[in-house]
């Protein structure tokens, strides 16, 4: 018979962030802060230039988020 913990991990792979190393947690938080910083800097640049380009803000966010998504997908492949 399987232990209760392994059974939970097999049937409910969501929420495994708690099992990540502290470095990965720090890296994830750092990536989030970096996305926010990039978007806010671009927003400031646009405002000072008199430009309003929400699509560019979205592209910046998507680009950085896509990078983090690739890393997360690699980490999550064991769940399949």
């Amino acid at each position: 018979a399987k232990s209760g913990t392994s059974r939970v991990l097999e049937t409910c792979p969501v929420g495994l962030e708690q099992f990540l190393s502290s470095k990965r947690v720090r890296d994830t938080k750092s990536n989030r802060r970096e996305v926010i910083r990039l978007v806010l800097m671009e927003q400031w640049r646009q405002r000072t230039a008199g430009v309003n380009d929400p699509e560019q803000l979205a592209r910046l966010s998507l680009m950085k988020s896509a990078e983090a998504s690739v890393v997360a997908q690699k980490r999550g492949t064991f769940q399949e």
Side-chain angles (χ1 to χ4, degrees):
K2 295 186 179 207
S3 72
T5 302
S6 64
R7 177 170 287 150
V8 169
L9 291 178
E10 281 181 20
T11 60
C12 186
V14 179
L16 292 177
E17 292 84 2
Q18 63 185 325
F19 298 108
L20 296 176
S21 70
S22 59
K23 181 185 181 324
R24 283 199 175 147
V25 171
R26 282 192 309 272
D27 289 348
T28 299
K29 287 180 180 180
S30 177
N31 287 340
R32 265 190 217 126
R33 284 191 299 267
E34 180 68 7
V35 169
I36 292 167
R37 186 185 71 77
L38 286 172
V39 170
L40 290 175
M41 285 179 59
E42 175 62 16
Q43 188 178 45
W44 175 83
R45 187 197 67 76
Q46 288 183 17
R47 284 184 181 157
T48 59
V51 175
N52 182 21
D53 187 356
E55 289 82 18
Q56 175 62 15
L57 296 174
R59 281 190 296 273
L60 278 174
S61 179
L62 284 172
M63 179 184 67
K64 191 65 176 174
S65 297
E67 293 170 9
S69 179
V70 169
V71 173
Q73 287 175 353
K74 286 180 182 178
R75 254 187 282 157
T77 55
F78 74 93
Q79 295 176 16
E80 296 180 14

